[in-house]
Amino acid sequence: PVERYAAVAARLRHAGRRVVVTGGAHEYDLLARLAKLAGLPDADVHGEPPLERLAALVAGASAVVSGDTGVAHLAVAHGTPSVTLFGPVPPALWGPPPLERHRVLWHPGPPGDPHGRGPDPLLLRIRPEEVLEALSLLPEVRAA
């Protein structure tokens, strides 16, 4: 849920980190809500950036936090440290390679529908604190 991403973003900003958020064509309202809840400036909110811009943002990031989406795969392709949240589909199917710079958060259970209308119950088990802990375990490969 957007409130959980906002909680992670707000904690990172409070720690002095820059947080940039991106979204797809139908996520403008979610991005606006996340930005408001986390106190993000408009310049760090990118709704539906062109692929080249999205790839550049991912490549230049010190870390990427996302669900099991294209952004997670871009992080792997660029060697950008990542924390990927898995819900209905286990990371063994589509997860990143088992490298120190990639962390996976997943609570095992029965597989769900990756195209469901709402967040999968397994995904909802992941809490902001887990995301922040996983981020803290990533090697500092890039400058803040």
Side-chain angles (χ1 to χ4, degrees):
V2 69
E3 294 82 7
R4 293 186 191 181
Y5 276 96
V8 170
R11 290 276 302 275
L12 292 171
R13 283 193 37 89
H14 182 73
R17 305 296 290 213
R18 179 179 180 211
V19 176
V20 174
V21 295
T22 64
H26 303 289
E27 297 176 318
Y28 289 106
D29 290 341
L30 286 174
L31 286 175
R33 190 162 166 217
L34 191 160
K36 182 178 180 182
L37 290 170
L40 301 178
D42 290 343
D44 290 339
V45 180
H46 301 269
E48 198 178 11
L51 182 57
E52 297 84 6
R53 177 72 180 133
L54 180 61
L57 287 169
V58 170
S62 59
V64 168
V65 175
S66 73
D68 177 23
T69 66
V71 170
H73 300 291
L74 276 175
V76 170
H78 284 290
T80 303
S82 66
V83 175
T84 307
L85 290 62
F86 282 82
V89 178
L93 294 178
W94 303 110
L99 301 171
E100 186 181 11
R101 69 176 170 257
H102 303 297
R103 301 288 170 162
V104 168
L105 295 178
W106 180 60
H107 293 277
D113 179 4
H115 305 290
R117 292 183 156 238
D120 187 83
L122 296 179
L123 188 60
L124 291 175
R125 292 182 187 173
I126 300 171
R127 298 285 188 231
E129 297 77 20
E130 290 177 83
V131 176
L132 292 163
E133 173 68 19
L135 279 167
S136 75
L137 297 173
L138 291 175
E140 290 293 326
V141 179
R142 291 173 174 54

